[in-house]
Amino acid sequence: MAFRSVFDLEAIKSEFENAGISTNFIPLIWKHVLRNPNCELDQVPSLPSAAYPLLVSKFKSSTSTLHSVVESIDNVTTKLLVKLQTRSFVEAVIMRYDTRLGKYAGKPRPGGPRATLCISSQVGCKMGCKFCATGSMGFKSNLSAGEIVEQLIHASCFSNIRNVVFMGMGEPLNNYASIVQAVQIMTRFPFNLSTRKITISTVGIVHAIKKLHSDLPNVNLAVSLHAPIHEIRCQIMPAARAFPLDKLMETLQVYQKNSQQKIFIEYIMLDGLNDEEWHAHQLGKLLETLRVVVNLIPFNPIGSLSHFRTSNELNVLKFQKILRGFYNIRTTVRKQMGQDISGACGQLVVNSSDKHSSGSSETVADIEDIRS
C-alpha cells in the first residue's frame, strides 16, 4: 500500500476531520518531524489517542529517501538525489553564499550567509526546452505537495534553508495545485519561510500566471523568456508555441499591475542564436514597460543532449551593458555554481536505469539579493 506524506496537507487534514481530530495538531506533527527526520509517527508526543493508528496506517514522516549526496569542489554547492516511493528520482540543489560578497551601486550588499534550495516539482518535464537536460527525460509524473516539501526536509539536514526556488526538474506551473499547497506549507509553522523568499519559475504558462498572485501573493515570479522574438523562442523552447509571446507579455502586464512586484526574466545566453546586440535591443524594447530584473544565464553544456554553445564573456557583458545603458533595466549575470557535479542551471537529469544523476544548477543569488 502506498503511504501519503504527512506533509500532504489536504490528505491529512481530510483524514483528521473525518476522524473528529482537530487539525490544529498537524503543525505540531510537522514540527516533530522537522526536528526528527524519518521518525515513526507514533513517536510524535501529545496527540489524541485516535490520531496514532490513523497516522501509522496511512502516512509516513517521509515517503522519500535521500539516495545520494554530492558536494561540489566549490565547497558551497550540494546536490541531493532523492528517491521517491515510486522508485523514481528527483534532484534538489543547495547553494550557499554570502550576500556581502556581492556589490550593488558600488557598495557591498546588505545581509550575510544564506542558503537557497533549488527544488524539483516533477519527475522529468514535458516542455522539451532544447538547452535543458531535464527535458530529455520527457514527462514522468507530478510530485505531490508532500514530496516537494520533503526535499526541504532533506536539505534542512545540511543547511538552514532561507530561500526556495522552484527551478529544479519540471515546469512548476504544470503542477499547479501541488506547488500552491507546498508553498502554503513552507510559509506556515514550523517552516515559517517568507513568501518573499520563494521564487517560482515558469516557461510562461499563461492561464496559471493569471491566478498565481491570487493564490500565492508576494511570491516571486521568474519567467524563462530566453528570446525576444517568438520564432527564436519556439526554436529553443518548443512549448512556447502554445503561449505566443504577445499573449505572455499581456499576461505579465496584468500580473504586475495586480501584484505590484518586480518580475524576474531569465535569459540563457546561446552563442550566435540570441546573444547579439540587436537581440539585446529587441529585449529592451519588449520589457521597457515592465518593472523587471533580467538575469543573464551562461549556458551550461549538457553533452550530446544539445548542440548549443555558451556565449563568450564579452558578448554577455555587451548584452548587459545595452539593457542597462539604453533601457535602464536592472540586469545581472548569473554566477555559475555546481557545474562539476552537474548541479547547474539546465543540467539536472536522472538516468533511471542506473539510478544516478547528471546535470547542473546555478546559483539564484541574483534573484534573492535584489528582491527589494
Side-chain angles (χ1 to χ4, degrees):
M1 183 185 97
F3 287 86
R4 297 296 298 267
S5 169
V6 75
F7 295 101
D8 279 322
L9 176 58
E10 294 304 317
I12 190 171
K13 183 179 178 181
S14 175
E15 293 288 350
F16 271 36
E17 288 174 343
N18 291 339
I21 302 170
S22 173
T23 57
N24 291 334
F25 288 105
I26 295 175
L28 300 180
I29 298 171
W30 292 347
K31 179 182 178 181
H32 183 82
V33 173
L34 184 59
R35 291 181 174 180
N36 305 274
N38 298 309
C39 66
E40 296 298 328
L41 292 178
D42 57 6
Q43 298 174 354
V44 181
S46 306
L47 298 181
S49 58
Y52 292 106
L54 188 156
L55 288 171
V56 171
S57 64
K58 297 188 176 183
F59 296 92
K60 281 192 173 182
S61 59
S62 181
T63 58
S64 62
T65 56
L66 190 56
H67 185 74
S68 65
V69 180
V70 184
E71 299 285 353
S72 170
I73 58 174
D74 62 20
N75 294 319
V76 293
T77 310
T78 304
K79 186 171 70 171
L80 311 179
L81 181 62
V82 178
K83 184 178 182 180
L84 310 177
Q85 65 177 340
T86 60
R87 299 182 181 274
S88 296
F89 292 82
V90 293
E91 293 181 319
V93 181
I94 304 169
M95 297 158 286
R96 308 169 189 87
Y97 49 93
D98 190 332
T99 58
R100 295 169 297 186
L101 298 178
K103 290 186 177 183
Y104 177 59
K107 298 179 181 179
R109 295 186 186 277
R114 63 176 63 178
T116 292
L117 177 65
C118 179
I119 211 164
S120 292
S121 57
Q122 296 177 315
V123 181
C125 182
K126 64 180 179 181
M127 295 296 98
C129 298
K130 295 183 180 180
F131 51 81
C132 179
T134 304
S136 69
M137 295 173 59
F139 173 71
K140 307 298 183 184
S141 64
N142 284 324
L143 300 187
S144 70
E147 289 171 327
I148 294 169
V149 175
E150 284 176 13
Q151 294 173 67
L152 176 58
I153 299 289
H154 294 309
S156 295
C157 296
F158 297 87
S159 295
N160 179 25
I161 303 298
R162 289 182 53 190
N163 307 286
V164 170
V165 293
F166 286 85
M167 297 182 182
M169 297 169 63
E171 162 55 54
L173 295 190
N174 271 347
N175 189 13
Y176 190 84
S178 291
I179 291 298
V180 169
Q181 190 180 141
V183 171
Q184 290 171 342
I185 294 169
M186 292 175 182
T187 53
R188 295 181 182 181
F189 179 86
F191 299 100
N192 296 325
L193 291 180
S194 167
T195 52
R196 296 178 181 273
K197 300 296 184 181
I198 297 176
T199 301
I200 296 176
S201 176
T202 177
V203 300
I205 311 298
V206 168
H207 61 272
I209 294 173
K210 288 180 178 179
K211 57 184 178 178
L212 185 63
H213 172 66
S214 176
D215 291 332
L216 294 175
N218 296 320
V219 166
N220 296 310
L221 173 65
V223 178
S224 296
L225 196 62
H226 303 315
I229 297 173
H230 185 62
E231 290 72 21
I232 299 177
R233 198 164 185 259
C234 291
Q235 183 180 345
I236 61 178
M237 304 169 65
R241 295 188 183 96
F243 307 102
L245 190 54
D246 58 343
K247 297 294 183 183
L248 174 58
M249 299 311 296
E250 289 174 9
T251 302
L252 295 182
Q253 291 280 2
V254 174
Y255 175 89
Q256 186 157 82
K257 180 179 178 181
N258 293 333
S259 69
Q260 294 298 304
Q261 292 175 246
K262 292 176 182 175
I263 297 172
F264 294 92
I265 301 296
E266 298 168 303
Y267 195 97
I268 194 163
M269 298 294 289
L270 302 172
D271 182 46
L273 185 59
N274 68 350
D275 67 339
E276 297 178 16
E277 292 185 22
W278 72 269
H279 292 121
H281 283 290
Q282 288 277 3
L283 183 62
K285 293 172 183 176
L286 183 70
L287 299 174
E288 60 185 351
T289 60
L290 287 169
R291 191 161 59 97
V292 300
V293 177
V294 174
N295 191 210
L296 303 179
I297 307 171
F299 170 65
N300 292 298
I302 53 177
S304 61
L305 296 176
S306 176
H307 62 277
F308 296 124
R309 298 187 305 273
T310 304
S311 299
N312 64 58
E313 186 176 355
L314 180 60
N315 281 358
V316 174
L317 294 177
K318 283 182 180 178
F319 205 98
Q320 180 185 41
K321 186 175 182 179
I322 290 171
L323 291 177
R324 285 178 169 178
F326 284 87
Y327 302 97
N328 196 30
I329 294 176
R330 194 167 178 185
T331 307
T332 63
V333 178
R334 184 170 294 186
K335 180 182 178 183
Q336 293 174 296
M337 296 170 67
Q339 199 176 64
D340 62 302
I341 59 171
S342 293
C345 182
Q347 292 184 316
L348 299 185
V349 63
V350 173
N351 186 333
S352 59
S353 62
D354 60 6
K355 297 183 178 61
H356 77 274
S357 62
S358 62
S360 195
S361 110
E362 273 158 54
T363 181
V364 287
D366 317 273
I367 289 179
E368 301 304 339
D369 288 349
I370 56 187
R371 177 66 168 84
S372 60

